[in-house]
Amino acid sequence: MTRPRRNRRAGVEDRWTKTVYDDEKRPTKVPSANHGKGKRWRARYVDDEGREKVKGFDRKVDAQKWLDDITAAQVTGTYVDPKLGAVTFASFYREWSTRQVWVPGTERAMNLASNGVTFGDVALSDLRPSHVEKWVKAMQDKPLAPGTIKTRFNNVHAVLRAAIRDKVLARDPAESITLPRRRRADAAMTIPTARQVGALIREAGVEFDAFVGLCAFAGLRLGEAAALQVGDVDFMRREIRVQRQVQRANGHAVEIRAPKYGSERTIPVPAGLLELVSLHIAHWRPGDDPARWLFPGEGQHPWHQNSVGYRWRRTREAAGVDELRLHDLRHFYASGLIAAGCDVVTVQRALGHSSASVTLNTYSHLWPDADDKTRRAADALFRASAGSAADGLRTEGRN
């Protein structure tokens, strides 16, 4: 049976007195049975679910202020049930996380961030920006890199926004929190030279050179290259389809899943890369099954982070480029597209970024700015003018 909803009402009552009426219906205040017992003033209201809430006060002004604050919160949509507001951040996250449709990698990242906060036992109603600032400072003091701090902050911020949607948190305590500044992308990014990439491919040998080539000349991520099947390479159209990626779950199990959001794509590739891939298939994986892994590992699985990492470290050492990461080959690919004049949308699609803003945030320093364009235009004018001036000087017989 559904409980009938109460009408919304609010008021402050004096528990120590009651009103009586004489024979002529004239009201008179007299002491009640509660006179002198407990708190004199009682404020009450009905919440959004029709439940009556009551709280006692010693002074009428305090009762009225509390009730006014509740009424204002109900009107503005920031009202939080006091019982729900007593829920801690940690307990809310435990319950909320069970309803999320996360892939294992996202679940690990969310658990790492949310279980590492310094305010896990703080009630959501007591959570203040100072709690979040203290946590951010603790991460910086560890020290964690600014990029890591930003990622964990964003994950915890998602939990806080969920608490606001569920009306267990009134305001966002993470709003306007200052995070440690990240270094400029051009200072942190390492872009291999063409000579270094050539040395890596030579030292990789017939087993691994195609993998290095896919990262350097198609911009594939490690998991994307490892999850390629022979049928994903279209030799006639000179294209490679990225349709899946390899991930390790809990550091052990190999999982095949869809690429990162927005990363499914078809990439036009150079003939030289197709030749590398063709030689790899012919030498190591002959056969007609298009669903076989291009880089098969143990059992039914392809290569994964560990098997690729071992081969990459060996190749990198042999090539004498110990400072390079495999992901730097993706930067090499992006920088080549930009240097060739590709626009941001073209680069975004080739790299499988979720948006053009991600591409710009990562590689904006590689695109020529207004000064570069002005300089090139002026150089062209100078060369044209200098050539005409030289012709004139020769005509006049001057040196």
Side-chain angles (χ1 to χ4, degrees):
M1 180 177 178
T2 304
R3 182 180 62 184
R5 292 177 64 91
R6 298 179 178 176
N7 294 326
R8 185 182 295 277
R9 63 182 183 275
V12 175
E13 303 171 347
D14 183 356
R15 295 181 57 253
W16 287 7
T17 65
K18 65 179 181 179
T19 301
V20 297
Y21 297 88
D22 60 18
D23 295 340
E24 297 182 3
K25 306 298 183 181
R26 289 176 299 193
T28 303
K29 292 284 187 181
V30 298
S32 70
N34 294 320
H35 190 274
K37 301 175 184 177
K39 297 183 183 295
R40 178 172 181 175
W41 300 99
R42 178 167 59 192
R44 64 171 69 208
Y45 69 94
V46 175
D47 67 12
D48 295 335
E49 301 299 322
R51 294 184 293 259
E52 186 175 62
K53 306 291 184 181
V54 178
K55 187 173 182 179
F57 296 87
D58 291 322
R59 301 191 309 161
K60 181 178 182 179
V61 65
D62 295 332
Q64 190 62 54
K65 181 181 184 305
W66 179 79
L67 189 59
D68 291 344
D69 289 344
I70 293 293
T71 303
Q74 288 179 324
V75 171
T76 59
T78 59
Y79 169 77
V80 171
D81 186 324
K83 289 184 179 180
L84 295 179
V87 173
T88 65
F89 174 87
S91 60
F92 175 80
Y93 175 72
R94 281 195 299 271
E95 193 277 331
W96 174 78
S97 62
T98 62
R99 306 192 304 270
Q100 307 311 305
V101 287
W102 292 329
V103 297
T106 301
E107 183 178 3
R108 288 194 298 272
M110 292 296 297
N111 288 340
L112 180 63
S114 299
N115 294 336
V117 300
T118 55
F119 48 82
D121 295 332
V122 177
L124 289 174
S125 60
D126 295 331
L127 199 55
R128 300 291 181 267
S130 57
H131 291 102
V132 182
E133 290 170 340
K134 181 179 178 181
W135 169 57
V136 171
K137 185 64 166 61
M139 289 193 289
Q140 185 182 40
D141 290 344
K142 275 192 174 182
L144 295 181
T148 302
I149 293 174
K150 182 177 181 180
T151 298
R152 295 190 183 182
F153 173 86
N154 288 340
N155 289 343
V156 169
H157 200 181
V159 182
L160 296 175
R161 288 195 294 267
I164 293 172
R165 290 194 300 271
D166 278 359
K167 294 188 179 298
V168 296
L169 180 63
R171 293 177 177 83
D172 186 357
E175 186 178 6
S176 301
I177 296 296
T178 300
L179 300 179
R181 296 183 61 180
R182 302 179 66 175
R183 293 190 300 166
R184 283 175 51 88
D186 53 344
M189 181 181 295
T190 299
I191 300 177
T193 65
R195 180 174 302 218
Q196 288 174 324
V197 172
L200 286 165
I201 290 177
R202 286 194 301 273
E203 297 298 337
V206 291
E207 181 189 32
F208 192 51
D209 57 0
F211 197 100
V212 174
L214 288 164
C215 297
F217 304 117
L220 299 193
R221 302 174 177 93
L222 185 157
E224 295 171 342
L228 283 179
Q229 296 177 350
V230 173
D232 295 327
V233 184
D234 190 329
F235 290 93
M236 296 296 293
R237 295 178 179 272
R238 295 173 58 185
E239 295 175 342
I240 290 178
R241 292 182 295 274
V242 178
Q243 303 179 93
R244 67 194 73 80
Q245 65 172 328
V246 174
Q247 287 290 331
R248 300 293 299 279
N250 300 320
H252 300 290
V254 177
E255 291 188 353
I256 309 298
R257 64 170 73 109
K260 294 175 66 175
Y261 179 77
S263 292
E264 274 193 73
R265 61 199 187 276
T266 298
I267 308 170
V269 292
L273 175 58
L274 292 175
E275 184 177 355
L276 270 180
V277 174
S278 176
L279 291 172
H280 173 83
I281 295 173
H283 191 275
W284 291 100
R285 316 296 169 202
D288 299 325
D289 182 8
R292 68 189 186 279
W293 300 116
L294 195 58
F295 303 101
E298 298 179 358
Q300 301 298 314
H301 298 299
W303 288 357
H304 50 71
Q305 282 79 357
N306 288 0
S307 49
V308 172
Y310 164 74
R311 291 171 172 84
W312 170 252
R313 289 189 294 273
R314 187 178 61 186
T315 300
R316 184 179 62 182
E317 181 179 355
V321 288
D322 291 345
E323 73 281 4
L324 292 181
R325 305 169 304 158
L326 184 66
H327 197 75
D328 293 333
L329 297 180
R330 183 168 161 86
H331 298 326
F332 171 79
Y333 175 70
S335 67
L337 297 183
I338 294 169
C342 293
D343 61 78
V344 63
V345 174
T346 300
V347 178
Q348 171 210 341
R349 290 172 178 168
L351 293 174
H353 284 157
S354 58
S355 66
S357 62
V358 173
T359 307
L360 284 173
N361 288 340
T362 308
Y363 297 111
S364 61
H365 62 285
L366 298 180
W367 264 281
D369 58 18
D371 289 344
D372 295 324
K373 294 177 181 177
T374 302
R375 194 173 293 113
R376 284 202 300 269
D379 280 342
L381 290 171
F382 182 84
R383 287 193 299 272
S385 301
S388 298
D391 289 342
L393 289 173
R394 283 193 294 270
T395 301
E396 297 175 7
R398 298 167 57 186
N399 293 326

